[in-house]
Amino acid sequence: MSHAGAPAAAPIDGSGLRIVVIAGTWHETISNGLIAGAQRVLDAAGAEHSLVRVPGSFELAVAAQAAFAGGADAVVALGVIIRGGTPHFEYVSAAATDGLNRVSLDAGKPVGFGLLTLDDEQQGLDRAGLEGSQEDKGAEAADAAVRTALVVRELRG
């Protein structure tokens, strides 16, 4: 894993933003780590946030669509898909990614992308923001969602 090229993150003020964290329930340890990282960033930014759980990563997009319809300024989508021995991995990964992108563009609002597509469970543990993890993808997704929501707000005046 490389952090080369990652931007330096200055503190952000997300007060007044309403963010919905949507997380799949598969691979509970990894998912819970992602959620904790996202919530930590949102708390530090002062953004109002709530958590919604969906059965799996495929369902993230429709829940994100509903969150935007309900007035969310941004969504943080968190999920875990681990490659298996069938093409199912490719179908679910592509559908979830494409769905989240479509929902974001249709709403004109950001989706912080915290969907981990992994070859094995260890890769998820390394990215989940847990003790001993090398990365915190939940925190990164939340940070991106808040920063982009602020940019969108500014551009729209």
Side-chain angles (χ1 to χ4, degrees):
M1 283 171 273
S2 173
H3 294 284
I12 49 175
D13 180 3
S15 27
L17 292 177
R18 183 171 167 248
I19 314 289
V20 179
V21 177
I22 304 171
T25 56
W26 282 74
H27 308 287
E28 185 176 19
T29 300
I30 298 168
S31 294
N32 288 344
L34 294 171
I35 292 166
Q39 290 174 329
R40 186 175 56 257
V41 166
L42 297 172
D43 287 341
E48 175 189 334
H49 60 92
S50 58
L51 172 65
V52 176
R53 300 299 296 258
V54 294
S57 295
F58 189 82
E59 295 78 21
L60 291 169
V62 72
Q65 186 179 53
F68 287 138
D73 296 302
V75 163
V76 179
L78 306 173
V80 180
I81 307 171
I82 299 178
R83 186 181 306 277
T86 69
H88 181 74
F89 171 86
E90 283 81 13
Y91 300 135
V92 173
S93 297
T97 300
D98 292 346
L100 289 169
N101 185 53
R102 178 180 154 203
V103 167
S104 177
L105 292 173
D106 287 351
K109 296 179 180 182
V111 173
F113 190 76
L115 175 61
L116 302 184
T117 54
L118 311 164
D119 289 322
D120 56 51
E121 185 178 26
Q122 187 58 53
Q123 289 179 340
L125 295 170
D126 289 341
R127 290 165 175 81
L130 303 166
E131 186 175 333
S133 291
Q134 299 170 8
E135 297 179 274
D136 189 342
K137 294 300 185 184
E140 290 176 22
D143 184 78
V146 171
R147 289 179 192 280
T148 307
L150 293 171
V151 168
V152 168
R153 177 193 283 172
E154 180 180 333
L155 290 172
R156 290 188 177 147

